[in-house]
PDB file of all heavy atoms in Angstrom:
ATOM      1  N   CYS A1105      40.448  -0.210   6.816  1.00  0.00           N
ATOM      2  CA  CYS A1105      39.027  -0.150   6.459  1.00  0.00           C
ATOM      3  C   CYS A1105      38.850   0.012   4.948  1.00  0.00           C
ATOM      4  O   CYS A1105      37.953  -0.592   4.344  1.00  0.00           O
ATOM      5  CB  CYS A1105      38.341   0.994   7.197  1.00  0.00           C
ATOM      6  SG  CYS A1105      38.038   0.664   8.944  1.00  0.00           S
ATOM      7  N   THR A1106      39.710   0.839   4.328  1.00  0.00           N
ATOM      8  CA  THR A1106      39.642   1.022   2.884  1.00  0.00           C
ATOM      9  C   THR A1106      39.935  -0.286   2.159  1.00  0.00           C
ATOM     10  O   THR A1106      39.233  -0.670   1.219  1.00  0.00           O
ATOM     11  CB  THR A1106      40.638   2.106   2.434  1.00  0.00           C
ATOM     12  OG1 THR A1106      40.336   3.336   3.099  1.00  0.00           O
ATOM     13  CG2 THR A1106      40.553   2.332   0.930  1.00  0.00           C
ATOM     14  N   LEU A1107      40.977  -0.988   2.613  1.00  0.00           N
ATOM     15  CA  LEU A1107      41.327  -2.270   1.994  1.00  0.00           C
ATOM     16  C   LEU A1107      40.210  -3.295   2.182  1.00  0.00           C
ATOM     17  O   LEU A1107      39.910  -4.079   1.270  1.00  0.00           O
ATOM     18  CB  LEU A1107      42.639  -2.790   2.598  1.00  0.00           C
ATOM     19  CG  LEU A1107      43.880  -1.933   2.330  1.00  0.00           C
ATOM     20  CD1 LEU A1107      45.088  -2.521   3.057  1.00  0.00           C
ATOM     21  CD2 LEU A1107      44.156  -1.833   0.839  1.00  0.00           C
ATOM     22  N   LEU A1108      39.577  -3.270   3.360  1.00  0.00           N
ATOM     23  CA  LEU A1108      38.473  -4.195   3.617  1.00  0.00           C
ATOM     24  C   LEU A1108      37.283  -3.889   2.715  1.00  0.00           C
ATOM     25  O   LEU A1108      36.581  -4.800   2.264  1.00  0.00           O
ATOM     26  CB  LEU A1108      38.055  -4.116   5.087  1.00  0.00           C
ATOM     27  CG  LEU A1108      39.024  -4.746   6.102  1.00  0.00           C
ATOM     28  CD1 LEU A1108      38.534  -4.489   7.524  1.00  0.00           C
ATOM     29  CD2 LEU A1108      39.172  -6.242   5.849  1.00  0.00           C
ATOM     30  N   GLY A1109      37.045  -2.597   2.468  1.00  0.00           N
ATOM     31  CA  GLY A1109      35.949  -2.214   1.578  1.00  0.00           C
ATOM     32  C   GLY A1109      36.158  -2.749   0.177  1.00  0.00           C
ATOM     33  O   GLY A1109      35.232  -3.284  -0.452  1.00  0.00           O
ATOM     34  N   VAL A1110      37.393  -2.627  -0.338  1.00  0.00           N
ATOM     35  CA  VAL A1110      37.710  -3.152  -1.672  1.00  0.00           C
ATOM     36  C   VAL A1110      37.564  -4.675  -1.690  1.00  0.00           C
ATOM     37  O   VAL A1110      36.974  -5.247  -2.610  1.00  0.00           O
ATOM     38  CB  VAL A1110      39.135  -2.746  -2.085  1.00  0.00           C
ATOM     39  CG1 VAL A1110      39.521  -3.404  -3.414  1.00  0.00           C
ATOM     40  CG2 VAL A1110      39.252  -1.227  -2.200  1.00  0.00           C
ATOM     41  N   ALA A1111      38.106  -5.331  -0.650  1.00  0.00           N
ATOM     42  CA  ALA A1111      38.046  -6.795  -0.585  1.00  0.00           C
ATOM     43  C   ALA A1111      36.607  -7.296  -0.500  1.00  0.00           C
ATOM     44  O   ALA A1111      36.255  -8.313  -1.106  1.00  0.00           O
ATOM     45  CB  ALA A1111      38.858  -7.293   0.617  1.00  0.00           C
ATOM     46  N   PHE A1112      35.760  -6.564   0.244  1.00  0.00           N
ATOM     47  CA  PHE A1112      34.361  -6.965   0.377  1.00  0.00           C
ATOM     48  C   PHE A1112      33.658  -6.935  -0.975  1.00  0.00           C
ATOM     49  O   PHE A1112      32.922  -7.868  -1.335  1.00  0.00           O
ATOM     50  CB  PHE A1112      33.647  -6.042   1.368  1.00  0.00           C
ATOM     51  CG  PHE A1112      32.168  -6.292   1.480  1.00  0.00           C
ATOM     52  CD1 PHE A1112      31.693  -7.373   2.204  1.00  0.00           C
ATOM     53  CD2 PHE A1112      31.253  -5.452   0.853  1.00  0.00           C
ATOM     54  CE1 PHE A1112      30.322  -7.616   2.303  1.00  0.00           C
ATOM     55  CE2 PHE A1112      29.894  -5.682   0.951  1.00  0.00           C
ATOM     56  CZ  PHE A1112      29.431  -6.769   1.674  1.00  0.00           C
ATOM     57  N   MET A1113      33.885  -5.867  -1.749  1.00  0.00           N
ATOM     58  CA  MET A1113      33.247  -5.772  -3.052  1.00  0.00           C
ATOM     59  C   MET A1113      33.791  -6.832  -4.006  1.00  0.00           C
ATOM     60  O   MET A1113      33.053  -7.371  -4.836  1.00  0.00           O
ATOM     61  CB  MET A1113      33.440  -4.374  -3.649  1.00  0.00           C
ATOM     62  CG  MET A1113      32.645  -3.284  -2.947  1.00  0.00           C
ATOM     63  SD  MET A1113      30.888  -3.687  -2.734  1.00  0.00           S
ATOM     64  CE  MET A1113      30.378  -4.058  -4.407  1.00  0.00           C
ATOM     65  N   TRP A1114      35.079  -7.155  -3.893  1.00  0.00           N
ATOM     66  CA  TRP A1114      35.664  -8.227  -4.705  1.00  0.00           C
ATOM     67  C   TRP A1114      34.963  -9.545  -4.391  1.00  0.00           C
ATOM     68  O   TRP A1114      34.616 -10.317  -5.287  1.00  0.00           O
ATOM     69  CB  TRP A1114      37.160  -8.311  -4.421  1.00  0.00           C
ATOM     70  CG  TRP A1114      37.899  -9.302  -5.294  1.00  0.00           C
ATOM     71  CD1 TRP A1114      37.452  -9.902  -6.434  1.00  0.00           C
ATOM     72  CD2 TRP A1114      39.222  -9.808  -5.067  1.00  0.00           C
ATOM     73  NE1 TRP A1114      38.401 -10.752  -6.947  1.00  0.00           N
ATOM     74  CE2 TRP A1114      39.502 -10.708  -6.125  1.00  0.00           C
ATOM     75  CE3 TRP A1114      40.187  -9.574  -4.099  1.00  0.00           C
ATOM     76  CZ2 TRP A1114      40.725 -11.389  -6.220  1.00  0.00           C
ATOM     77  CZ3 TRP A1114      41.403 -10.249  -4.199  1.00  0.00           C
ATOM     78  CH2 TRP A1114      41.662 -11.143  -5.242  1.00  0.00           C
ATOM     79  N   LEU A1115      34.745  -9.805  -3.102  1.00  0.00           N
ATOM     80  CA  LEU A1115      34.066 -11.027  -2.683  1.00  0.00           C
ATOM     81  C   LEU A1115      32.645 -11.081  -3.227  1.00  0.00           C
ATOM     82  O   LEU A1115      32.197 -12.101  -3.759  1.00  0.00           O
ATOM     83  CB  LEU A1115      34.052 -11.112  -1.157  1.00  0.00           C
ATOM     84  CG  LEU A1115      33.282 -12.294  -0.546  1.00  0.00           C
ATOM     85  CD1 LEU A1115      33.935 -13.612  -0.935  1.00  0.00           C
ATOM     86  CD2 LEU A1115      33.221 -12.160   0.985  1.00  0.00           C
ATOM     87  N   VAL A1116      31.914  -9.970  -3.090  1.00  0.00           N
ATOM     88  CA  VAL A1116      30.522  -9.929  -3.543  1.00  0.00           C
ATOM     89  C   VAL A1116      30.423 -10.158  -5.040  1.00  0.00           C
ATOM     90  O   VAL A1116      29.619 -10.968  -5.522  1.00  0.00           O
ATOM     91  CB  VAL A1116      29.889  -8.579  -3.152  1.00  0.00           C
ATOM     92  CG1 VAL A1116      28.538  -8.401  -3.851  1.00  0.00           C
ATOM     93  CG2 VAL A1116      29.720  -8.472  -1.651  1.00  0.00           C
ATOM     94  N   ILE A1117      31.241  -9.433  -5.812  1.00  0.00           N
ATOM     95  CA  ILE A1117      31.185  -9.561  -7.268  1.00  0.00           C
ATOM     96  C   ILE A1117      31.637 -10.955  -7.702  1.00  0.00           C
ATOM     97  O   ILE A1117      31.080 -11.564  -8.614  1.00  0.00           O
ATOM     98  CB  ILE A1117      32.060  -8.489  -7.940  1.00  0.00           C
ATOM     99  CG1 ILE A1117      31.566  -7.080  -7.562  1.00  0.00           C
ATOM    100  CG2 ILE A1117      32.041  -8.650  -9.457  1.00  0.00           C
ATOM    101  CD1 ILE A1117      30.123  -6.819  -7.910  1.00  0.00           C
ATOM    102  N   GLY A1118      32.649 -11.493  -7.004  1.00  0.00           N
ATOM    103  CA  GLY A1118      33.123 -12.827  -7.325  1.00  0.00           C
ATOM    104  C   GLY A1118      32.058 -13.884  -7.084  1.00  0.00           C
ATOM    105  O   GLY A1118      31.864 -14.791  -7.908  1.00  0.00           O
ATOM    106  N   LEU A1119      31.349 -13.787  -5.977  1.00  0.00           N
ATOM    107  CA  LEU A1119      30.274 -14.740  -5.682  1.00  0.00           C
ATOM    108  C   LEU A1119      29.144 -14.608  -6.690  1.00  0.00           C
ATOM    109  O   LEU A1119      28.525 -15.604  -7.091  1.00  0.00           O
ATOM    110  CB  LEU A1119      29.750 -14.502  -4.257  1.00  0.00           C
ATOM    111  CG  LEU A1119      30.698 -14.873  -3.123  1.00  0.00           C
ATOM    112  CD1 LEU A1119      30.091 -14.480  -1.771  1.00  0.00           C
ATOM    113  CD2 LEU A1119      31.013 -16.373  -3.145  1.00  0.00           C
TER     114      LEU A1119
END
Side-chain angles (χ1 to χ4, degrees):
C1105 285
T1106 301
L1107 296 177
L1108 287 175
V1110 175
F1112 175 77
M1113 289 310 305
W1114 185 14
L1115 176 64
V1116 169
I1117 300 303
L1119 291 175

